[in-house]
Amino acid sequence: MKLKTLLVLLSLAASGVALSTELYRWTDDGGRVYYGARADVPQRYASRAVPASTPLPPGTTVCEARWHQYAASAACFDQYRLVGGGLKPEAFQRCTEVPQPDCN
């Protein structure tokens, strides 16, 4: 079972999310994970920030990996949101749409 989980995690990491600006992943003091551009990382968490494409820690479940991929996709699209709503057309050229996972 562990080998299957590892293979799924590796395939998710290899597929990645197409990013226009390199996104970063960081964890706050409460353990919540965030994604955003380097400029979005609060100064106090800068030392914890890693590129979003960095492999997830060992022990990450398949479901958790899917949620991370979804969050990275959403952060990519956030860069192209318009003030009045909607997205700039290039968002769909530079970001990969990832559906919300159906696992918890």
Side-chain angles (χ1 to χ4, degrees):
M1 180 71 172
K2 288 185 180 186
L3 179 60
K4 182 178 178 182
T5 301
L6 178 62
L7 291 174
V8 171
L9 288 174
L10 289 174
S11 68
L12 285 172
S15 66
V17 176
L19 307 174
S20 61
T21 300
E22 186 171 21
L23 294 176
Y24 285 80
R25 179 178 72 228
W26 68 95
T27 306
D28 67 13
D29 293 332
R32 184 170 179 192
V33 178
Y34 297 87
Y35 287 85
R38 183 70 175 164
D40 297 334
V41 179
Q43 185 62 36
R44 65 183 179 183
Y45 301 127
S47 64
R48 301 179 191 177
V50 296
S53 59
T54 301
L56 295 169
T60 302
T61 67
V62 172
C63 184
E64 289 172 325
R66 288 180 183 157
W67 276 103
H68 281 279
Q69 190 177 32
Y70 173 75
S73 172
C76 183
F77 278 101
D78 283 346
Q79 300 173 78
Y80 300 99
R81 297 210 182 277
L82 298 171
V83 173
L87 293 166
K88 294 178 183 177
E90 60 266 26
F92 296 97
Q93 297 168 350
R94 298 186 177 144
C95 302
T96 301
E97 210 169 349
V98 176
Q100 184 173 341
D102 59 358
C103 59
N104 290 320

